[in-house]
Amino acid sequence: MAKNSANGDHQTTTKPPPTPSPLRFSKFFQPNMRILVTGGAGFIGSHLVDKLMENEKNEVIVVDNFFTGSKDNLKKWIGHPRFELRRHDVTEPLLVEVDKIYHLACPASPIFYKYNAVKTIKTNVIGTLNMLGLAKRVGARILLTSTSEVYGDPLVHPQPESYWGNVNPIGVRSCYDEGKRVAETLMFDYHRQHGIEIRIARIFNTYGPRMNIDDGRVVSNFIAQSLRDEPLTVQAPGTQTRSFCYVSDMVDGLIRLMEGDNTGPINIGNPGEFTMIELAELVKEVITYSQEAALGLISPKVEIKMVENTPDDPRQRKPDITKAKELLGWEPKVKLRDGLPLMEEDFRLRLGVSKKI
Ligand SMILES: NC(=O)c1ccc[n+]([C@@H]2O[C@H](COP(=O)([O-])OP(=O)(O)OC[C@H]3O[C@@H](n4cnc5c(N)ncnc54)[C@H](O)[C@@H]3O)[C@@H](O)[C@H]2O)c1
Ligand SMILES: O=C(O)[C@H]1O[C@H](OP(=O)(O)OP(=O)(O)OC[C@H]2O[C@@H](n3ccc(=O)[nH]c3=O)[C@H](O)[C@@H]2O)[C@H](O)[C@@H](O)[C@@H]1O
């Protein structure tokens, strides 16, 4: 079992950072903070945009190719003078003048990232190279949303940032987990070689309103199935574990990381660990049946159905968040039991399932 050395000693820069735009130092013109969010039409990205837009000094530019994201997630900002939305694929170069870059663009659900594996790895490698090139040209700070999947099927539990992982380089998930590992490498190479200010968040399973209904991830699947009175599909063996973080906690952690002094990588996730069977039981308990089922007009089938799993599914996952606590003063506030019902209203509206009585 390999617990490898900490990665702090890789952080020495050899060059000073590029100079930020001259506008930053102008005596006559005080520009807003211009913030680019790639993948900002997606689940986490759109919640991040909502939070950034609360600050009147922020101008937010979203670029997204709408592969898994949607304009609907940003509809309240379209037309706002401090907001701009562009259809753009990060595998193509981008020329914009910005001060900070939150680089989220990448399909995140296994169903979607495996759908076009070559495109997923291009997004992770070429997309991250393009965003680093942009950061270098304009002197912007850049934050990458990496993933707990860089730890693969971990042999160390819980996972600290110093663990180098146990990843299959040729499996069906590799386009995503190896892609993110290369993206992290590129971030550190640009940091050391060009003095770019980088931040890396290793995000653990995040859930909340606006997840795609047919996204395929476990929390959205179980809630949608429950509201449709369908069986909850637990993939065998069901004893595999995950640790689920509510999206508002995640956004808070990402902003603290961007605004703080540490490059990371830093785990951001909720250490509460659940088996998939426990998650299904909890969803059954806290999500109410449809009105029809509650009235006894149809019989609810919210039972647990064991189905086949997919290859290389990690057996256990739980973040060690010591670094996030110490360096960012961050820890999650929302417990899974409290977070699940917060998705219910949003899923009911989008599924057209009547309200609970
Ligand atoms: N949600 C999680 O549990 C989780 C966990 C770990 C890491 N992450 C990371 O966080 C980020 C956001 O995840 P999410 O859950 O919001 O997923 P999401 O699929 O909802 O959002 C991803 C967004 O990126 C866009 N996108 C994909 N490829 C693109 C490309 N080539 N060019 C431009 N836009 C592109 C999509 O259209 C979408 O709007 C991703 O980088 C993901 O890897 C998420
Ligand atoms: O947090 C992370 O780092 C990564 O976690 C997830 O990947 P995964 O944990 O496999 O997410 P799910 O697809 O939600 O699966 C979680 C578990 O639920 C199980 N599952 C999934 C769907 C379902 O209907 N039933 C079910 O039991 C899967 O077998 C798996 O064990 C995300 O999808 C990635 O984007 C993210 O990078």
Side-chain angles (χ1 to χ4, degrees):
M1 180 181 320
K3 182 171 186 256
N4 315 101
S5 68
N7 21 29
D9 53 351
H10 296 268
Q11 295 177 8
T12 334
T13 59
T14 52
K15 285 197 170 182
T19 324
S21 154
L23 279 181
R24 283 269 138 246
F25 307 109
S26 163
K27 266 199 284 189
F28 309 107
F29 183 57
Q30 290 295 319
N32 289 335
M33 186 59 68
R34 297 158 305 179
I35 304 176
L36 173 65
V37 182
T38 76
F43 159 53
I44 299 178
S46 63
H47 286 279
L48 174 65
V49 169
D50 288 352
K51 192 73 193 169
L52 293 172
M53 286 295 292
E54 282 176 15
N55 183 338
E56 290 186 1
K57 287 273 177 203
N58 288 342
E59 276 176 32
V60 177
I61 303 170
V62 165
V63 299
D64 203 295
N65 69 355
F66 303 117
F67 174 48
T68 52
S70 154
K71 281 183 196 169
D72 258 8
N73 290 336
L74 296 167
K75 61 177 178 250
K76 71 174 162 192
W77 301 119
I78 292 170
H80 192 289
R82 288 186 287 109
F83 179 77
E84 193 181 329
L85 174 60
R86 290 198 193 181
R87 182 184 292 269
H88 176 84
D89 197 301
V90 292
T91 58
E92 300 293 334
L94 176 68
L95 293 176
V96 285
E97 304 302 313
V98 290
D99 305 295
K100 288 179 184 163
I101 303 169
Y102 285 90
H103 178 38
L104 280 72
C106 179
S109 167
I111 288 183
F112 286 91
Y113 69 63
K114 290 179 201 168
Y115 168 75
N116 185 344
V118 174
K119 181 62 196 279
T120 300
I121 201 148
K122 278 188 178 173
T123 296
N124 277 317
V125 179
I126 301 172
T128 304
L129 263 175
N130 283 334
M131 292 310 108
L132 282 162
L134 172 66
K136 181 178 160 210
R137 183 177 68 79
V138 299
R141 181 179 291 182
I142 176 168
L143 179 150
L144 170 75
T145 50
S146 184
T147 166
S148 64
E149 295 220 8
V150 299
Y151 302 121
D153 190 7
L155 305 176
V156 170
H157 194 73
Q159 295 81 52
E161 293 83 351
S162 54
Y163 176 50
W164 287 356
N166 176 39
V167 178
N168 176 359
I170 55 167
V172 291
R173 294 175 89 102
S174 310
C175 59
Y176 185 74
D177 47 32
E178 291 288 25
K180 289 282 187 182
R181 286 165 70 95
V182 175
E184 288 197 13
T185 307
L186 285 168
M187 293 281 286
F188 268 95
D189 284 340
Y190 267 73
H191 174 60
R192 284 183 290 250
Q193 203 169 323
H194 299 296
I196 304 295
E197 285 191 81
I198 60 158
R199 304 287 183 266
I200 298 177
R202 288 188 181 151
I203 297 181
F204 283 65
N205 298 61
T206 301
Y207 69 98
R210 295 190 198 147
M211 291 185 87
N212 276 329
I213 289 183
D214 294 311
D215 178 282
R217 283 182 276 189
V218 67
V219 176
S220 44
N221 273 8
F222 285 179
I223 292 192
Q225 287 162 345
S226 168
L227 294 176
R228 287 166 167 155
D229 302 315
E230 291 170 3
L232 309 188
T233 52
V234 171
Q235 294 175 353
T239 49
Q240 68 272 33
T241 66
R242 293 293 188 276
S243 303
F244 299 100
C245 185
Y246 191 68
V247 66
S248 57
D249 283 332
M250 180 55 54
V251 165
D252 178 35
L254 294 178
I255 293 176
R256 279 174 192 249
L257 176 60
M258 176 64 108
E259 299 305 327
D261 295 328
N262 290 279
T263 58
I266 295 192
N267 289 338
I268 305 190
N270 189 322
E273 187 184 7
F274 297 82
T275 68
M276 294 311 104
I277 293 171
E278 286 168 343
L279 174 68
E281 295 290 355
L282 190 58
V283 168
K284 273 177 74 173
E285 191 188 322
V286 299
I287 304 293
T288 346
Y289 299 149
S290 69
Q291 195 174 23
E292 291 81 357
L295 288 170
L297 299 175
I298 58 164
S299 92
K301 297 188 195 60
V302 187
E303 58 202 29
I304 292 173
K305 180 176 155 196
M306 203 58 76
V307 297
E308 203 183 331
N309 206 335
T310 53
D312 290 343
D313 185 43
R315 279 162 295 179
Q316 54 179 1
R317 201 187 271 163
K318 170 182 166 142
D320 177 335
I321 59 164
T322 311
K323 258 181 115 174
K325 281 186 189 163
E326 286 175 6
L327 300 176
L328 307 179
W330 177 88
E331 63 182 312
K333 297 189 178 79
V334 183
K335 291 196 185 89
L336 186 59
R337 170 176 289 279
D338 301 326
L340 292 172
L342 300 175
M343 292 175 73
E344 189 173 334
E345 179 67 17
D346 171 59
F347 269 57
R348 277 184 192 282
L349 277 173
R350 288 189 286 146
L351 283 167
V353 173
S354 45
K355 276 187 186 275
K356 59 185 162 186
I357 46 172

